[in-house]
């Protein structure tokens, strides 16, 4: 949420170090709480991860993202079909097959981020 509020994240993490018990990370473009996959928006995750490392954060590290959700899911509602569209609704609500691939992607992104910052994954 700090990115949407224009806050400098590294120093904010240092200031809040004794109050941080869990983190849920997501990306956005700085305007809305978009719940995007990390590294697709404008959040500087190097600052975030380095701040967590510098305060010796040991708590949960979770992504709070929406990946391949159905078209009626907040925060990014998919455009509805137009009145004149006569085709099938095949992609508006992706099925579990695609969502499982999304979960795999999230794991790979988290692993990549940790590896780049020399963080061991249990």
């Amino acid at each position: 949420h700090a990115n949407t509020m224009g806050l400098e994240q590294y120093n904010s993490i240092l200031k809040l170090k004794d109050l941080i018990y869990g983190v849920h990370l997501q990306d956005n473009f700085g305007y809305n709480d978009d719940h995007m996959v990390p590294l697709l928006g404008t959040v500087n995750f190097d600052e975030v991860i380095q701040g967590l490392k510098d305060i010796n954060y040991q708590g949960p590290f979770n992504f709070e993202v929406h990946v391949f959700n159905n078209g009626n899911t907040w925060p990014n509602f998919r455009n509805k079909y137009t009145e004149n569209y006569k085709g099938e609704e095949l992609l508006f609500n992706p099925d579990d097959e695609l969502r499982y691939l999304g979960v795999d992607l999230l794991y790979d992104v988290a692993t990549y981020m940790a590896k780049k910052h020399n963080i061991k994954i249990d």
Side-chain angles (χ1 to χ4, degrees), residues 1-116:
H1 299 252
N3 194 49
T4 63
M5 299 173 68
L7 298 175
E8 197 278 315
Q9 298 191 59
Y10 179 79
N11 283 331
S12 296
I13 290 169
L14 297 183
K15 288 177 187 175
L16 295 171
K17 68 180 177 181
D18 295 327
L19 301 172
I20 299 175
Y21 298 99
V23 295
H24 58 275
L25 303 177
Q26 52 104 347
D27 214 336
N28 56 65
F29 291 114
Y31 307 108
N32 299 303
D33 186 21
D34 294 317
H35 293 227
M36 293 169 43
V37 175
L39 305 179
L40 293 180
T42 60
V43 172
N44 185 326
F45 283 101
D46 287 317
E47 281 195 7
V48 172
I49 292 172
Q50 190 60 53
L52 294 171
K53 287 172 64 173
D54 287 352
I55 65 168
N56 196 32
Y57 176 75
Q58 299 295 312
F61 183 90
N62 300 303
F63 285 170
E64 181 186 22
V65 302
H66 296 279
V67 60
F68 304 128
N69 283 352
N70 85 38
N72 294 313
T73 302
W74 176 89
N76 299 307
F77 299 101
R78 199 164 287 116
N79 291 334
K80 299 283 185 184
Y81 295 98
T82 59
E83 181 178 313
N84 295 322
Y85 179 71
K86 304 298 184 217
E88 294 183 75
E89 297 180 2
L90 300 174
L91 302 175
F92 190 80
N93 295 314
D95 57 26
D96 287 346
E97 178 184 0
L98 189 59
R99 283 194 288 275
Y100 293 147
L101 291 172
V103 171
D104 291 342
L105 170 66
L106 294 174
Y107 180 82
D108 291 343
V109 169
T111 301
Y112 174 85
M113 293 169 73
K115 181 179 176 183
K116 286 294 194 178

